[in-house]
Amino acid sequence: MHLDRCMHTVLVLFFWCSILVLTTLTFQLFIFLVGPKVTFFQPDDEVVGILPLDAEMSGLCDVVLIDEYNLVQKPEKVSWFEAAGAIKDALRAYTALHTLARMAVGHTLLVLDGASPFGLLAIQLAHYHGVKVLATAVSLEDQKFLEQLRPSVARVIGVWDSKVDLVDSCLEETGGLGVDIVIDTGVRLYEEESEVKKHLPYKHDIISLLGVGGHWVTTEDNLQLDPPDSRNLFLKAASVSFLNEEVWEASRARQGRYLHIMKDVVEKLATGTFRPLVENPVPLYEATVSMEMVQRRQLRKRVVVKL
């Protein structure tokens, strides 16, 4: 295959990929061929990356053409399995805490559903930067898991227990001041919701537990703020940001920062700062079943497929 027309493109061989949602795949691979102007990599390099949404080839192909600016070197200490399962959630954590919330030492962070793969890496990143962390647990098993984490979470709030009030717990832990940063996994919009959303907080609850100048980072793309909600945010000088890590690959102007984050992620995997929550690898012929389970939210860990 000739890459003369694809100046900054590399041809890579797939070995592992991680399933997150239908449109997103992270992968681990070897470089097979490089374009004439590729400067970052050589054939046989081990790399990690995230397949862009506008990629012409599927992430489940044997080989794929991809721009060199979407790849970073994989450290020798990092396993294929571990990196494939962690890179996307780690990118989300960086985007939420550094880019959107401007996390700083001494801040107090609330991570909703802290035992999820994304929530766990957000907790680990926050601890690394000296942030006090509160986390919610949606089941008794998740609560026990979070209570055993080291460094420890300042407070685990078991929202699975109807007697526990999220707002009161956060205000009690912060001396009535509220938290500086909230990262949600969705918002409960109506009184009658599906079983999946019954543990999600209402938007009024999140606004109520925010401190002055707080940052609310939300994954709820259908969020609607009523005038009273906006006024409460205004009185606290608080902000709302929408978490969509896909935008990094939508703007060439941010490509340098994107690669810097990706390199930092794999370095933290190598040093053990990031310890991802990943299911045992599944063979390719079971990928369809695993994908369906991911879509129905029946799996609490990331799924890694061996190709």
Side-chain angles (χ1 to χ4, degrees):
M1 180 179 292
H2 297 287
L3 301 181
D4 293 341
R5 296 182 181 179
C6 306
M7 308 298 275
H8 292 278
T9 301
V10 297
L11 180 68
V12 293
L13 303 178
F14 269 76
F15 284 86
W16 300 82
C17 75
S18 175
I19 300 174
L20 289 99
V21 294
L22 282 172
T23 58
T24 306
L25 287 169
T26 66
F27 50 79
Q28 296 294 303
L29 35 83
F30 279 109
I31 291 181
F32 184 58
L33 294 174
V34 299
K37 289 191 175 182
V38 172
T39 57
F40 293 164
F41 307 107
Q42 297 294 328
D44 296 328
D45 282 350
E46 298 180 357
V47 293
V48 58
I50 299 174
L51 195 67
L53 292 177
D54 60 353
E56 297 180 0
M57 299 181 182
S58 166
L60 295 178
C61 293
D62 293 331
V63 296
V64 65
L65 285 171
I66 189 170
D67 197 300
E68 67 170 324
Y69 301 114
N70 290 317
L71 302 171
V72 293
Q73 293 273 5
K74 183 185 77 67
E76 292 184 4
K77 294 182 179 180
V78 179
S79 68
W80 297 101
F81 170 67
E82 184 180 43
I87 191 83
K88 185 64 180 289
D89 287 318
L91 175 64
R92 294 188 77 197
Y94 265 84
T95 305
L97 293 175
H98 284 293
T99 307
L100 300 178
R102 304 295 182 182
M103 170 182 63
V105 176
H107 277 169
T108 300
L109 164 69
L110 171 64
V111 180
L112 299 175
D113 195 5
S116 66
F118 164 62
L120 180 61
L121 292 189
I123 290 171
Q124 292 169 358
L125 182 60
H127 277 151
Y128 179 81
H129 288 281
V131 172
K132 179 181 179 179
V133 180
L134 316 179
T136 66
V138 299
S139 68
L140 180 58
E141 292 76 14
D142 284 353
Q143 182 164 345
K144 292 178 179 178
F145 170 76
L146 290 172
E147 289 172 346
Q148 294 173 355
L149 289 181
R150 295 294 180 271
S152 60
V153 175
R155 183 162 183 168
V156 180
I157 305 169
V159 294
W160 56 273
D161 187 348
S162 59
K163 298 178 182 179
V164 175
D165 187 276
L166 176 62
V167 177
D168 290 344
S169 298
C170 290
L171 293 179
E172 179 184 347
E173 186 64 34
T174 58
L177 298 177
V179 301
D180 299 294
I181 305 169
V182 177
I183 302 178
D184 70 34
T185 53
V187 176
R188 191 171 179 180
L189 302 176
Y190 311 103
E191 287 290 341
E192 295 183 2
E193 289 279 14
S194 63
E195 186 71 17
V196 175
K197 290 191 173 185
K198 70 176 184 178
H199 293 308
L200 295 178
Y202 292 104
K203 57 186 177 182
H204 176 73
D205 293 336
I206 294 180
I207 295 172
S208 298
L209 59 82
L210 269 179
V212 173
H215 299 279
W216 174 13
V217 180
T218 181
T219 60
E220 182 57 63
D221 57 354
N222 293 319
L223 181 67
Q224 296 181 9
L225 294 178
D226 300 321
D229 301 324
S230 297
R231 177 160 179 77
N232 287 336
L233 288 169
F234 169 78
L235 292 174
K236 294 184 176 187
S239 65
V240 179
S241 300
F242 291 89
L243 178 56
N244 176 17
E245 70 282 356
E246 302 290 354
V247 298
W248 288 109
E249 296 166 349
S251 173
R252 289 292 181 185
R254 294 178 173 268
Q255 202 71 26
R257 187 179 299 178
Y258 171 68
L259 287 178
H260 175 77
I261 293 174
M262 297 281 279
K263 290 177 181 178
D264 201 40
V265 167
V266 293
E267 288 174 3
K268 282 184 169 54
L269 282 170
T271 59
T273 302
F274 281 146
R275 301 174 301 280
L277 195 62
V278 185
E279 289 279 0
N280 292 328
V282 299
L284 181 59
Y285 62 84
E286 294 181 5
T288 303
V289 177
S290 298
M291 175 68 81
E292 292 174 353
M293 295 177 69
V294 168
Q295 296 302 309
R296 292 196 298 266
R297 299 177 182 269
Q298 293 179 342
L299 293 176
R300 294 289 290 163
K301 299 180 181 180
R302 280 289 168 250
V303 177
V304 176
V305 178
K306 191 177 189 311
L307 302 178

